[in-house]
Amino acid sequence: MLDKDRIKKAEDNVKSYLEEGLLKKTNSTKQVEDILLTNGKESLKVAEEIHQRNISDLWVIVSSYYAMYYYANAVLLKLGYKVGEKIVHQVTSDALIIFVRKKLKESLLEEYEEIKDEALKIAGAKSDSIIESFEFEKNKRGFIQYKTVETEKHSKAITSLQRAKEFTKEMEKLLID
């Protein structure tokens, strides 16, 4: 679950990113959205293929993360925000918290409408979890890529692939017009 400090940090960061041009307001272009979605789908497909063939746990994790990254940026673009060219992964992570978290919560609430009272708690926790999974994978990718031995990578690869599947599924719902 995202804690208040992390949310506050993201708010502060996003303000700075907007001021510094690391995140820009923009008009969404369908062509760029489609490219990002194509890249996201391809990354997820590659992660699944690598996993099924047991080729490389590292690349299951990296490809799973990039599937999430591309989908996240497609949603941000649809909402009118384009990530710049510096610290793109952190900017994307913080922008997800600020601009996508609430929309994701609302989307999940629609799915849980029959159990309205519990739905608010469930949707809030799940939306935080989905957004937080991006940050977990961002951090894990860097750690795994440079600091982890092979024997530790397999279980982390499976978790990465599962997170990427759930994340991309929920982001696709936000991209529907």
Side-chain angles (χ1 to χ4, degrees), residues 3-4 32 45 67 81 160 163 165:
D3 63 33
K4 290 178 185 177
V32 177
K45 184 177 178 182
Y81 295 94
S160 293
R163 282 180 178 160
K165 285 178 180 179

Side-chain angles (χ1 to χ4, degrees), residues 138-151:
K138 176 179 72 71
N139 294 335
K140 183 181 3 173
R141 180 204 42 103
F143 181 77
I144 292 288
Q145 217 164 343
Y146 304 110
K147 299 178 185 167
T148 304
V149 295
E150 284 302 314
T151 55

Side-chain angles (χ1 to χ4, degrees), residues 5-15 94 97-98:
D5 290 338
R6 178 63 186 102
I7 295 167
K8 175 68 173 128
K9 178 78 172 151
E11 288 171 351
D12 294 342
N13 287 346
V14 165
K15 285 178 188 172
D94 290 334
I97 292 169
I98 302 308

Side-chain angles (χ1 to χ4, degrees), residues 129-171:
S129 173
I130 289 168
I131 297 296
E132 196 172 36
S133 72
F134 179 89
E135 195 156 303
F136 289 151
E137 290 305 312
K138 176 179 72 71
N139 294 335
K140 183 181 3 173
R141 180 204 42 103
F143 181 77
I144 292 288
Q145 217 164 343
Y146 304 110
K147 299 178 185 167
T148 304
V149 295
E150 284 302 314
T151 55
E152 297 174 20
K153 290 180 185 173
H154 188 70
S155 67
K156 293 183 185 314
I158 292 168
T159 301
S160 293
L161 184 56
Q162 290 169 338
R163 282 180 178 160
K165 285 178 180 179
E166 181 177 19
F167 185 89
T168 57
K169 178 182 139 200
E170 295 302 331
M171 292 298 112

Side-chain angles (χ1 to χ4, degrees), residues 37-50:
L37 284 177
T38 298
N39 290 348
K41 289 174 184 176
E42 182 178 324
S43 296
L44 188 57
K45 184 177 178 182
V46 167
E48 289 174 327
E49 185 74 20
I50 292 169

